[in-house]
C-alpha cells in the first residue's frame, strides 16, 4: 500500500524508488528541513536536511548491491520500515531504515540500524573515510 500525503508527492514508495534509483535530488526533496538522522555508527543524531542529504549521498557511494527486501508500514500512520541488504567493505550487511513522515509528508525522523557487528564496523570505517566530503557538502548546501 502506498500512502501519499495531501498536497505532497512524498510517500514511502517515493522514498524507496528514489533510493533504489540512486536519485539523490529526489531523495533530498523528500526530507523535511528539520529532519533528524540517527546513524547506526554515530552516537549523536544529525539534525537538518543538508547534513542528512550529504550522509545519504555518502551511503550511496559506499553501499554496493543495495536492495530493499521487505517493507513494513503502519497503514493508518506515518511510520514505515524498509529492510535492506547491501555490501560494504566486502561485508554483507542487513539493515532497516525507520522513517517517520511529518504532516506535510516529508521525512522528519530517519533512523538506520544494521547488523552484523563486523559489517557495522565496515560501514563505520567506510563512512569515516567520507566524513570530510560529507561535511563540505553539508556546508555548501
Amino acid at each position: 500500500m502506498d500512502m501519499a500525503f495531501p498536497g505532497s508527492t512524498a510517500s514511502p514508495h517515493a522514498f524507496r524508488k528514489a533510493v533504489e534509483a540512486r536519485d539523490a535530488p529526489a531523495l533530498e526533496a523528500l526530507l523535511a528541513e528539520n529532519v533528524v538522522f540517527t546513524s547506526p555508527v554515530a552516537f549523536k543524531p544529525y539534525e537538518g536536511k543538508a547534513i542528512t542529504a550529504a550522509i545519504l549521498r555518502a551511503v550511496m557511494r559506499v553501499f554496493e548491491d543495495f536492495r530493499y527486501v521487505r517493507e513494513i508500514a503502519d497503514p493508518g500512520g506515518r511510520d514505515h520500515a524498509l529492510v535492506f541488504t547491501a555490501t560494504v567493505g566486502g561485508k554483507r550487511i542487513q539493515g532497516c531504515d525507520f522513517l517517520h513522515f511529518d504532516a506535510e509528508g516529508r521525512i522528519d525522523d530517519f533512523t538506520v540500524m544494521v547488523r552484523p557487528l563486523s559489517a557495522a564496523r565496515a560501514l563505520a570505517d567506510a563512512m569515516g573515510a567520507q566524513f570530510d566530503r560529507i561535511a563540505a557538502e553539508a556546508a555548501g548546501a
Side-chain angles (χ1 to χ4, degrees), residues 62-92:
V62 303
F63 274 170
E64 299 172 23
D65 305 320
F66 180 92
R67 69 184 191 100
Y68 284 116
V69 295
R70 189 168 163 207
E71 192 169 329
I72 304 163
D74 174 8
R78 298 181 182 159
D79 294 295
H80 302 272
L82 296 158
V83 180
F84 64 84
T85 61
T87 303
V88 62
K91 301 280 185 187
R92 197 75 185 135

Side-chain angles (χ1 to χ4, degrees), residues 8 10-11 15 25-37 46-54 56 99-110:
S8 171
S11 72
F15 171 81
L27 185 57
E28 186 171 351
L30 298 172
L31 301 174
E33 290 297 327
N34 64 338
V35 63
V36 175
F37 178 80
Y46 295 94
E47 297 181 12
K49 185 175 185 173
I51 188 69
T52 299
L56 294 176
L99 308 174
H100 180 269
F101 290 81
D102 65 15
E104 286 76 45
R106 301 282 181 241
I107 299 167
D108 64 356
D109 189 72
F110 190 141

Side-chain angles (χ1 to χ4, degrees), residues 93-127:
I93 194 166
Q94 180 184 34
C96 190
D97 291 337
F98 295 96
L99 308 174
H100 180 269
F101 290 81
D102 65 15
E104 286 76 45
R106 301 282 181 241
I107 299 167
D108 64 356
D109 189 72
F110 190 141
T111 299
V112 180
M113 294 187 182
V114 297
R115 64 162 303 281
L117 182 58
S118 60
R121 286 185 179 134
L123 178 59
D125 292 345
M127 291 300 289

